[in-house]
Amino acid sequence: MRTGERLPAVGDVLASLATGMWHWDTATDLVSVDAEAARLLGLPPEKTTLTEAQVRARLHPVDWNEITGVVQLAAAEDSLAEVRIRIMDEHNRIIRVVRSRSKPAFDARKRAYKLIGTLQEVAEPTPGSPAGRRAVTGDWRRSREAFLLDAGRALAEARSTAEVLRVAAGLSMPGFSPDGLAVFGVQGDRLTIIGHHGQRPGDEAPFLNMALETDYPAAEVVRRGRAVYLSSPGQYQARYPLTWPLAERFHRHSWAFLPLTVAGRTMGAWLAAFTYPVAFTPDERSVLTTVARMLAQALSRAGTAESERELSEGLQRAMMPTLGPEVPGMDIAARYVPTGGGLQVGGDWYDMIPLPGATSRSRTSTGSGRFALVMGDVQGHDVRAAGLMGQLRIALRAYASEGHRPDAVLSRASRFLHGVLSAGDGGGDDGHGGDGGDGGDDEVPDLRFATCLYAEVDPRTGVLEVARAGHPDPVIRMADGTVLQRLTAGGLPLGIDPDSDYPTTRFTLEPGETMMICTDGLIETGGHDLDTGWQRIRTILERHGGDTEELADALVQAVHGPSSHHTTGPLADRREDDIAVLLLGRHRDGRAARPRLRHTLMTVAQAEPERISVARRQLRELLHDWPDEEQVDSAVLLLSETLANVLLHTDADALVLAEVSGEKGERRLRVEVTDAGDDLPHKRRPGELASSGRGLVLIELLADAWGVVPRGKGKSIWFELYEPSAAG
């Protein structure tokens, strides 16, 4: 062609090159093709307009699905859409393979794509060749889908930024895998590196704190929100000559920089670098883009979770007190473990409060040193529960510091919490709302409550006065290792009834004994209920031989193990809960070896006949390891008879003392019921229809020994049972 001659028409040039042109508007579902494009599609070689369905019938189904993804990807990246297509005849046989290249544009108003492109016949790739690997095949598609499913699952399970980066570094993409990765973040107008893999430590230094206006691919990706693909070092150097020296020393051959976008906001960039040339076909770009989206979501979740965790841990540390200096003659240990999920904050707490009259300086100095131990659990595992816990803890400290008795402290705390819940965030201890707010009658009340155990301790005598508000009973580990629940009187949880009463139970912690108080999380975590959980805790307490601190660690570690680590709990309930545990141990006097005696002591008043059931339960707890179940049933029956005899035939209260003494295998149970009545019981011979008079007959039949002892004023009825080996 000589200079000055007119250029031939574009259509003529393309026809001479066996290349067809087509135009596709998804808004109208119409595809216009020229004669050459029609021929390549297996139609008569003439210009025509086809429906989308007619064109789809000529293409391989797998390739049609691939076209949709490639077009969307190219529109998002503002790049060319290129795909290899297999053309089918009426009998579903492949007649040729063509390459389609087009420039898609997205009409946001119509929500439709417009494409203008070319079709050109190409040779079908040889399996295993680079072109064959780039071709759209069923095997490649299945490999890609399997990879994306595995990658999505792994990234979804990552809980922290470091774990997300480890997962990303271990991804093996189908057909091509990068050997160098980097995740860039944004702080203000600067580019930072969140993490990298495949480079030596310190190699990231030149890229730290880089301005977003820098002529660097990652910075451009963050500014524009679109990916940058560099298939060769020459292409990198041509597009980014200023920052090419920074990348040259890594000796890579291809680079992909993709935006990390969440909710329409670009939060950073992801670099995938390759030591071999990569053409970045639409299929490869599609995989990289999908991974970048999943990576952005995972990093966003991990960042939010880490921020919430840091906030919650700081809040919990600020609210959770320390136990302070040592108490002479006693050991105290406490543990708090938040639940495994969510914000990791909750309503469980413990506290140790010096009481009026105690030494104000270090408790290691001499002085009465009276103090209170508090264990509580506000319903819920959220920030609201933690806030209520902080308010309630402060209120309890205030009431205790005023010198109130345990029952009065809990009564005032219940009234305070009821007022806080009734008034929203305002609160008060009078039960009336604050300023009313603007919620009006439509405001839903916060239906929460709190359980609590308050114990006033005299370290000189070991005397404890306990008041309980719906909380689990304390547990006593006796000097011989026997573990019993110490049943105490109690009232409703705090905040339910502002006028609720909280009776006080008084008992003594003997030398060598340890008291444990805890929240229900220690008992029920791992799928246990109150019964199976208590059996698990009892086993740990009885078998442990270390000090108080080691025992606290053992309790937490055992509970946090597999649910089948000890006694398997029911599978119906797998909830996790906060755990708070507090141990109070009294030192041994050191004058004698470990005693072989366990006992329990309680009163049954005339006005409290329901406490007979409590006494039966206490006796069963005392005999939990007794080998003969029939003897245990007999002991419980005889105790019921003796207590009922006192309540029916006297006007006095009953005092129950039950003791187990001796070495295991040769133990002796002695139960003694004392009252202030003067009338001694007499054994009768009741008739068949008599409704009473069989108490002493049963004692004589079932007990190994028994008797009645006058006490000056009053009397005691006692009976004994021996372990089978001792009886033999």
Side-chain angles (χ1 to χ4, degrees), residues 327-330 367-371 457-463 586:
V327 176
M330 288 189 163
S368 63
R370 287 190 317 116
F371 61 92
V457 184
D458 187 342
R460 295 180 302 171
T461 62
V463 173
R586 191 176 180 195

Side-chain angles (χ1 to χ4, degrees), residues 292-538:
R293 290 171 181 167
M294 294 189 297
L295 182 59
Q297 294 286 345
L299 287 171
S300 177
R301 285 194 303 269
T304 301
E306 288 171 347
S307 298
E308 291 175 344
R309 192 155 48 242
E310 183 178 353
L311 172 64
S312 63
E313 289 174 355
L315 176 64
Q316 206 74 51
R317 283 194 300 269
M319 290 185 171
M320 192 58 63
T322 57
L323 293 177
E326 297 181 354
V327 176
M330 288 189 163
D331 292 323
I332 304 177
R335 298 291 185 273
Y336 173 76
V337 181
T339 184
L343 289 179
Q344 296 213 354
V345 299
D348 291 22
W349 90 96
Y350 62 84
D351 205 351
M352 182 175 179
I353 308 171
L355 298 177
T359 306
S360 59
R361 293 173 282 108
S362 170
R363 287 193 298 272
T364 55
S365 61
T366 59
S368 63
R370 287 190 317 116
F371 61 92
L373 296 177
V374 186
M375 177 71 67
D377 182 1
V378 177
Q379 180 191 18
H381 309 288
D382 51 15
V383 175
R384 172 65 170 159
L388 287 173
M389 177 267 287
Q391 291 177 284
L392 188 56
R393 185 172 69 84
I394 293 172
L396 280 163
R397 291 185 70 91
Y399 297 139
S401 299
E402 290 175 355
H404 297 294
R405 304 291 299 161
D407 55 343
V409 170
L410 289 191
S411 295
R412 284 167 166 76
S414 182
R415 194 175 301 115
F416 168 83
L417 183 59
H418 186 271
V420 170
L421 296 176
S422 299
D425 291 334
D429 63 358
D430 56 357
H432 300 290
D435 57 6
D438 55 4
D441 296 335
D442 295 335
E443 187 171 338
V444 179
D446 194 351
L447 303 177
R448 299 197 191 219
F449 58 84
T451 65
C452 184
L453 187 145
Y454 181 94
E456 187 175 301
V457 184
D458 187 342
R460 295 180 302 171
T461 62
V463 173
L464 288 86
E465 293 187 65
V466 178
R468 189 169 56 86
H471 203 79
D473 284 298
V475 173
I476 304 297
R477 183 176 185 266
M478 297 183 176
D480 69 338
T482 303
V483 176
L484 301 175
Q485 284 183 318
R486 185 61 173 88
L487 302 183
T488 56
L492 293 172
L494 304 179
I496 294 179
D497 182 1
D499 299 320
S500 182
D501 293 327
Y502 298 94
T504 301
T505 302
R506 181 186 179 99
F507 62 90
T508 301
L509 192 68
E510 301 293 344
E513 293 184 344
T514 299
M515 179 183 72
M516 181 195 79
I517 56 178
C518 66
T519 57
D520 56 1
L522 184 70
I523 302 172
E524 296 180 334
T525 292
H528 290 268
D529 57 20
L530 289 175
D531 291 332
T532 61
W534 159 233
Q535 295 300 326
R536 174 181 59 170
I537 297 302
R538 166 186 271 165

Side-chain angles (χ1 to χ4, degrees), residues 601-602 604 615 635 638-647 653-658 670-676 681 699 707-709 711 714-719:
L601 181 70
M602 67 174 295
V604 179
L638 297 184
L639 175 63
S640 297
E641 286 291 333
T642 52
L643 286 175
N645 202 45
V646 172
L647 298 185
D653 300 336
L655 177 67
V656 180
L657 173 64
R670 180 183 177 92
V671 178
E672 189 170 338
V673 178
T674 303
D675 65 85
I699 293 178
V708 179
V709 180
R711 296 291 186 187
K715 61 184 178 299
S716 293
I717 303 176
W718 61 271
F719 63 86

Side-chain angles (χ1 to χ4, degrees), residues 223-359:
R223 292 195 308 267
R224 299 178 60 216
R226 289 181 174 173
V228 171
Y229 298 101
L230 303 170
S231 300
S232 65
Q235 189 177 1
Y236 195 129
Q237 185 176 11
R239 289 188 60 178
Y240 304 97
L242 295 180
T243 54
W244 163 245
L246 298 178
E248 184 180 11
R249 60 193 180 94
F250 294 104
H251 306 293
R252 302 267 166 63
H253 291 81
S254 299
W255 301 261
F257 293 84
L258 298 104
L260 298 175
T261 305
V262 178
R265 182 181 65 88
T266 302
M267 56 178 287
W270 175 46
L271 162 64
F274 303 82
T275 55
Y276 55 88
V278 178
F280 296 118
T281 65
D283 305 320
E284 293 166 343
R285 296 205 307 270
S286 177
V287 171
L288 291 169
T289 301
T290 304
V291 172
R293 290 171 181 167
M294 294 189 297
L295 182 59
Q297 294 286 345
L299 287 171
S300 177
R301 285 194 303 269
T304 301
E306 288 171 347
S307 298
E308 291 175 344
R309 192 155 48 242
E310 183 178 353
L311 172 64
S312 63
E313 289 174 355
L315 176 64
Q316 206 74 51
R317 283 194 300 269
M319 290 185 171
M320 192 58 63
T322 57
L323 293 177
E326 297 181 354
V327 176
M330 288 189 163
D331 292 323
I332 304 177
R335 298 291 185 273
Y336 173 76
V337 181
T339 184
L343 289 179
Q344 296 213 354
V345 299
D348 291 22
W349 90 96
Y350 62 84
D351 205 351
M352 182 175 179
I353 308 171
L355 298 177
T359 306

